[in-house]
Amino acid sequence: MKDQNVKSFTLTAMFLAIMIILAVTPLGFIPIGPINATTMHIPVIIASIILGPRIGAGLGAVFGVISLARATVVITPMSFVFSPFIANPLTNHGDWRAVIVAIIPRILIGVIPYFVYKGLHHFMKEKARPVSLFIAGLAGSMTNTILVMNLIFFFFKDSYADVLQVTANAVYGVILGIIFGSGLVEAIVAGIATMGVCAVLLRLMKK
């Protein structure tokens, strides 16, 4: 039990360090048009599967706070949807709902992959573990993209349309384009990374 706790603590610290490195380098948030593609969710997904949903959710919350802080410090036209300290272009003041957009989906990144992996692994057993891991990574990444983009739509549709210079009716089409464009690429990358890294870490944790 003591050895297991030491392993869990060490891995948690390692994942946290990786997230901080990604946050302070261009590798964590990659600008693509009005949005940022991210790799910050990958350590959270892997931690969820290896260390469980509690630690995964905690690291996801850290990701959310980092996202909020970055949106406050590195101001872009879309910063207002992630930071309540940045003025909404239509109201000229910040909106507390940005905290929900920035943090809640990121917490769920640390929860959903664990249960997806456990469920698939239960039915498909050991031989199909790589498939289970890949799908869990995919699910974790899509959880982030789908929830973030839909929360932006529900809370900030008109402001988002104003920034993009499109009509309000066209906003969801743009959001779907992001989900099935950069969001799908992020998900595939996350699935591959999860499959490769988790396979090694799960063996180490057993030993």
Side-chain angles (χ1 to χ4, degrees):
M1 179 64 72
K2 186 177 179 181
D3 287 344
Q4 194 75 7
N5 289 338
V6 171
K7 286 179 183 178
S8 296
F9 178 81
T10 303
L11 284 173
T12 302
M14 181 187 74
F15 288 129
L16 186 58
I18 291 170
M19 290 173 66
I20 292 170
I21 291 169
L22 291 174
V24 299
T25 65
L27 297 175
F29 296 91
I30 305 165
I32 300 178
I35 59 147
N36 286 315
T38 184
T39 56
M40 289 279 293
H41 59 308
I42 295 175
V44 180
I45 293 168
I46 294 171
S48 172
I49 295 169
I50 300 298
L51 301 174
R54 185 180 300 176
I55 292 176
L59 290 173
V62 171
F63 173 20
V65 171
I66 289 173
S67 178
L68 190 156
R70 189 178 186 279
T72 305
V73 175
V74 183
I75 299 175
T76 70
M78 294 305 302
S79 287
F80 71 94
V81 303
F82 295 108
S83 172
F85 306 109
I86 303 300
N88 185 312
L90 293 186
T91 64
N92 290 319
H93 58 75
D95 193 320
W96 65 269
R97 292 176 298 181
V99 176
I100 297 175
V101 179
I103 295 178
I104 299 302
R106 278 60 190 271
I107 291 175
L108 291 175
I109 297 173
V111 176
I112 289 175
Y114 173 83
F115 291 104
V116 171
Y117 170 69
K118 287 296 183 183
L120 290 173
H121 188 59
H122 175 74
F123 287 107
M124 296 196 291
K125 306 303 179 184
E126 193 72 25
K127 290 183 179 179
R129 173 177 278 179
V131 176
S132 301
L133 290 171
F134 178 80
I135 294 174
L138 204 74
S141 183
M142 291 307 290
T143 294
N144 178 51
T145 304
I146 290 171
L147 285 181
V148 166
M149 296 310 302
N150 277 282
L151 286 172
I152 289 173
F153 177 77
F154 287 124
F155 292 151
F156 302 109
K157 180 176 73 171
D158 293 333
S159 302
Y160 194 67
D162 181 70
V163 170
L164 296 179
Q165 295 295 296
V166 299
T167 65
N169 292 334
V171 168
Y172 205 72
V174 174
I175 285 173
L176 288 175
I178 292 170
I179 291 172
F180 291 105
S182 61
L184 195 56
V185 173
E186 280 183 10
I188 292 170
V189 171
I192 293 170
T194 301
M195 181 174 60
V197 175
C198 284
V200 175
L201 291 179
L202 286 169
R203 285 199 297 269
L204 289 176
M205 291 295 282
K206 276 188 177 181
K207 292 180 182 178

